[in-house]
Every structure is written in structure tokens, then in C-alpha cells.
């Protein structure tokens, strides 16, 4: 096989690519051993771990020794079981610090803008209420614009209803009660007169999204879904909006489905695991 | 080189051990890339990460691709920087669940019993106060015995003073105030009359250990140090005790030094990092 004359001098000989692939494959095996221990609850015997991975105990043992030396795995002196150790906690803490909902939502904002051709934004819970911190608008002649820093209603905006339904925070509850007291008879008309906040919560939790049509701004409809992190907390809300005539805000419509799917992808990248969360909830 | 007749049929040919070592070495490199990202705050450019590891960017990139595929690392779409991703959060959560102060303290209890020939125990904060949950006694003809389930004083036992000094919990404060109110004039005599709790706290925090001589039980001295986890919280206390005549409870003595070192080793295995904690404290 002729070698190209332009091969850089640091390039390894012809058999190197295969050896390199094998080495990278070995790194993947090390990672698989770590993830296997994690899937088994963070702790297992060599026999159980090897069976889980479908590898020989001798092979898994060699990788465990390497992970033990690196401090990622420890061994129980009594049971001889292997478990995820102090260095893995440090890796996790560093990863948790990187779990930034704004950065994680960037690709979703771009996809919503391009695929659905809608204005979309991310809002966080500020001290005055849900606050827009980042938005994208489609390349259309006429679009709905939103302003970074705008504070939205908890009771009448889709974004606010997601925070209201999915956060367990006395401050959010207090802001919502204040909004309710200050509301006009006209505004209250759309809410359940017996339990306005409780009914909103039940509806949004059941649908997984909040949708509004003309309740916050006449002629504007919106769909919003939560961005949840590894602790199970709503860190931000992803919202798409449009002029009511040309925007389908129904919870089963294609916009709501896409917003929900994008929000779920962001939540997964923030370490959220819905099933696990339900299984380990107290 | 003759092969032994008893070699198992799954054994690889003669050159396998070297190839195996290389593969395990490759797994260690993958781990080093992960830990490098963690040391750089969880996020770095390829150039910075390769320089930190002392490896070529091309080599580090191959391992990053493998870690990206496994979900342990993610790449920022805008800056192209690499950061620790959702699967690393999951590994960390699984490792945190394994951070059990009782299991982690087992080897330390065994060493204290054997090397210092003292009775030693681990206590946790129960709803009635510091509670002994595990103990070891030396193989001597006469030893001090303690009882699992015993609740100790916050103000007059070494164990209690560590909890009092190093936890920030209104419940502990309330229990200590109740003890103080119920105390006899004789018991109060050893405490600072102006600020009994505050002065105890200052002393224990400065020494890193709590030591008592005859204050809780006449003729008994003790030395205690905190077992701190990855969140910086005191999860349990490690205590050594002995008859006052034959046990040196001074904070600079060899028993206090050993107890402090063993407690620090347990805390490290629970993910505690004192420097890092100080550096990142708000």
C-alpha cells in the first residue's frame, strides 16, 4: 500500500490504525465497566458485573484493577464487592457544574426555529417571575419578537404555567397568589373558580406541556415544556410561540409534540432520568 | 517458550500478556482524559486538555470521540469545547449513593483497634443525639466497652462536641441548649460561662478534633474527628477512647493525630476535598 508523500512525520507505521482502534476500543471497555457498575446500583460482585457486561470475569477484573488504581472504583474490604469510588464522585460533581440549561437548550432553539419556523425562547425563574433569557426567531418576513429580560405571568403565560405546575417553591406559590389577587374579572374567567392554581397544575402535569391561546397577549398562542436537571428540578422552560391564526397550540398537535421532545432531550443532557427518578422517589 | 499443559483453553497466545497490558493502559488513558476534564473544571478546549495531559491533541481527540459516544463527554455546539456530560452525572449519582460512612470507616476502625489497641466507634446524629452505631475493641484482657445504640452528650462527650462544632443544624443547636439548661453547676464548670457553645465550637474547629478527659464519664478520655462527605457535611464521627491513666487525649498527641488522619482518609473516600471545598465556597 503506497503511503502518501504528504504523510506527517509523526504518523505511525501502516499497522498503527488497527492498534489505535484496539486501544480506543479498550478505553470504551473501561467506560463500559464503569457504566455497568452504575447500572447495577453503583456496587456489585465481580461475578455479577461480568455477567451483566457479557465479558469474562478475568477480563473485567483487569479493567477493575486499572479503575481501582485511578480511584474511580473501590473495593469493600469485607464483601470484596466493587463500588464506584471517590474519584467518580468528583467526576460527577464536575459534570453537575456543567449542567447549564441555557447552553444545553441552544441546539433545541436552533432546531425549533428552523424546523417549525416559530419564535422560541428559554426562560428561568427570576425574583419577579419567569424571565426570558435567550430567544431565537425564524428567518421569515414577519415574526413575533420577544425581549430578553421580560418577566412573564405565572397564571396566564404558558411559560409561567410550567413553572407553577412543576416547581415546589413557596416563592412561586406566593407570586401566583399575588397575581390572582390583582387579576381582573375578565382574566379570572379562564380559570377554575374553585381552585384556579390547583386545576392549572393538574392540567399541565397531565399533559407534560402548558399551552395558551390568547390568554396572556391577544392573538398570541404558545406551548411550553420544562427543562429538568439531574436533581429533578425545573431549571428553565422552553417555549415556542406564534400568532394564533397560524400556530397550533393544542397539547396533541405537532408543535407541542416537538417542544416536548426537544425539552426532554435537553433534560436528558442535564442528567435527568424520568424512570429512575420515579423508581427511587421516597 | 513451553506452554504449561494446564493452560485453560480460553487463554490467549504467548504475545497476549503484552497486548493485554496495552489495552488496560489504553483504558487508563481514557480515565486520565475524563479526570483531566474534571481537573480543568469539567470543561476545556481540545488544545488545553491535551496540554494539561501532556499528550498530542490527535491522541486525546481519539479518546474524546470514544467518551462522546458513551455519553460521558459532550461537545458545546458553539465553542467546540468538551465538557463532562449526562452519563458522567449518572456515574456520580451512583457513586454518591455508595458513599456510606459506616462502610468507609470499617478499615479505620480495624487499624485503630490493632495499631493503637484502643476501643473505637462510629456514631451518627440520631434524633435524640449522637448515637453509637458500630464499634471495635482491642484484644486485651481488660477493655472499655461501649454499647451500640447509646446516645451521647453533645456538650460533654468528644463525639458530641464534633457534631456540635461542625454541623449547621438547628436541631443540634436546640439539643445542645436543652442539655445546657439541664446541666448541674458541676457540669457547667468546665465550659466558658459567657458563651459555652460558641467557645466549644471554636476550639474543636481549630484543632480538627474534639478531646475530653473525664468530662463525660469519670476515668474515661476520648478523641473524636468528623467523617465528612462530598457535600462537606459531617455524616458521622470516629472516636477512640480509653481509661484516662493509659490514654493520651491531647490534641497534639499520637492518638489524636492517628484518629484525625484516619478520619481524613475516610472523608476522602466519601468524596470530600478540603482544598477544593474552600476554593469553591461562595
Amino acid at each position: 500500500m503506497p503511503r502518501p508523500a504528504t504523510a506527517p512525520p509523526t504518523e505511525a507505521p501502516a499497522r498503527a490504525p488497527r492498534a489505535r482502534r484496539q486501544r480506543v476500543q479498550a478505553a470504551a471497555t473501561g467506560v463500559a465497566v464503569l457504566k455497568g457498575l452504575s447500572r447495577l446500583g453503583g456496587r456489585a460482585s465481580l461475578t455479577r458485573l461480568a455477567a451483566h457486561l457479557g465479558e469474562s470475569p478475568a477480563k473485567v477484573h483487569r479493567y477493575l484493577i486499572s479503575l481501582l488504581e485511578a480511584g474511580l472504583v473501590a473495593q469493600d474490604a469485607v464483601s470484596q464487592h466493587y463500588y464506584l469510588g471517590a474519584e467518580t464522585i468528583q467526576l460527577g460533581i464536575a459534570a453537575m457544574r456543567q449542567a447549564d440549561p441555557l447552553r444545553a437548550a441552544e441546539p433545541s432553539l436552533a432546531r425549533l426555529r428552523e424546523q417549525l419556523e416559530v419564535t422560541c425562547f428559554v426562560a428561568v425563574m427570576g425574583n419577579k417571575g419567569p424571565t426570558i433569557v435567550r430567544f431565537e426567531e425564524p428567518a421569515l418576513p414577519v415574526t413575533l419578537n420577544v425581549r430578553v429580560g421580560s418577566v412573564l405571568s405565572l397564571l396566564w403565560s404558558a411559560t409561567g404555567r410550567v413553572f407553577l405546575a412543576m416547581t415546589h417553591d413557596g416563592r412561586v406559590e406566593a407570586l401566583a397568589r399575588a397575581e390572582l389577587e390583582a387579576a381582573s374579572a375578565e382574566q379570572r374567567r379562564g380559570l377554575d373558580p374553585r381552585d384556579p392554581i390547583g386545576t392549572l397544575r393538574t392540567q399541565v402535569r397531565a399533559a407534560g406541556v402548558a399551552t395558551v391561546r390568547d390568554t396572556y397577549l391577544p392573538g398570541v398562542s404558545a406551548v411550553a415544556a420544562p427543562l429538568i436537571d439531574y436533581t429533578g428540578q425545573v431549571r428553565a422552560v422552553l417555549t415556542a410561540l406564534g400568532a394564533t391564526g397560524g400556530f397550533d397550540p393544542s397539547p396533541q398537535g405537532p408543535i407541542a409534540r416537538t417542544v416536548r421532545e426537544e425539552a426532554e432531550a435537553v433534560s436528558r443532557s442535564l442528567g435527568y432520568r424520568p424512570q429512575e427518578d420515579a423508581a427511587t422517589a421516597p
Side-chain angles (χ1 to χ4, degrees), chain A:
Chain A
M1 193 172 75
R3 278 202 238 162
T6 54
T10 56
E11 201 57 42
R15 58 174 282 278
R18 188 167 156 259
R20 278 213 299 248
R21 269 201 309 278
Q22 286 177 339
R23 286 197 297 270
V24 169
Q25 176 55 41
T29 305
V31 163
V33 170
L34 274 180
K35 286 169 85 171
L37 258 185
S38 175
R39 297 282 183 276
L40 294 172
R43 175 182 173 79
S45 67
L46 175 58
T47 317
R48 182 149 181 243
L49 179 58
H52 176 78
L53 294 167
E55 302 275 8
S56 77
K59 178 174 177 182
V60 173
H61 186 251
R62 286 195 301 274
Y63 285 91
L64 281 170
I65 296 296
S66 171
L67 295 167
L68 271 164
E69 282 167 4
L72 272 81
V73 165
Q75 188 172 18
D76 189 316
V78 180
S79 69
Q80 304 293 314
H81 286 189
Y82 294 90
Y83 61 95
L84 295 171
E87 284 290 340
T88 304
I89 293 178
Q90 296 306 317
L91 284 181
I93 290 171
M96 286 165 184
R97 287 194 187 124
Q98 294 302 319
D100 173 357
L102 272 181
R103 185 175 60 215
E106 285 289 336
S108 291
L109 284 174
R111 277 193 295 267
L112 288 172
R113 181 195 65 197
E114 282 162 28
Q115 290 171 13
L116 299 181
E117 295 199 311
V118 294
T119 299
C120 50
F121 63 81
V122 174
V124 300
M125 193 65 202
N127 61 336
K128 299 293 185 191
T131 309
I132 297 174
V133 288
R134 177 85 180 79
F135 83 100
E136 286 284 344
E137 53 188 348
L140 294 176
V142 179
T143 64
L144 277 177
N145 206 327
V146 297
R147 199 179 291 276
V148 166
S150 300
V151 175
L152 304 171
S153 157
L154 278 167
L155 291 178
W156 287 281
S157 78
T159 310
R161 287 180 178 183
V162 172
F163 280 116
L164 182 65
M166 298 189 181
T167 51
H168 311 276
D169 181 343
R171 196 173 44 109
V172 172
E173 178 88 22
L175 280 170
R177 301 230 162 266
E179 269 188 35
L180 198 59
E181 277 176 31
S184 66
E186 171 66 24
Q187 283 179 309
R188 284 166 183 264
R189 204 157 296 152
L191 302 180
D192 180 346
R194 284 168 310 163
D195 183 9
I197 292 177
T199 303
L200 276 181
R201 281 198 171 123
T202 307
Q203 286 167 350
V204 172
R205 286 177 189 165
V209 289
T211 63
V212 301
R213 187 192 295 263
D214 305 339
T215 60
Y216 186 51
L217 292 170
V220 174
S221 294
V223 172
L227 307 182
I228 306 173
D229 75 2
Y230 56 91
T231 66
Q233 285 190 315
V234 175
R235 291 278 301 274
V237 169
L238 178 67
T239 304
L241 73 165
T244 297
F247 182 97
D248 173 13
S250 70
Q252 278 75 45
I255 294 178
R257 196 177 59 235
T258 307
V259 169
R260 188 165 42 217
E261 285 168 0
E262 289 291 348
E264 285 168 358
V266 174
S267 297
R268 276 195 301 275
S269 81
L270 297 173
Y272 180 57
R273 292 289 179 279
Q275 284 92 355
E276 229 174 282
D277 194 63
T280 61

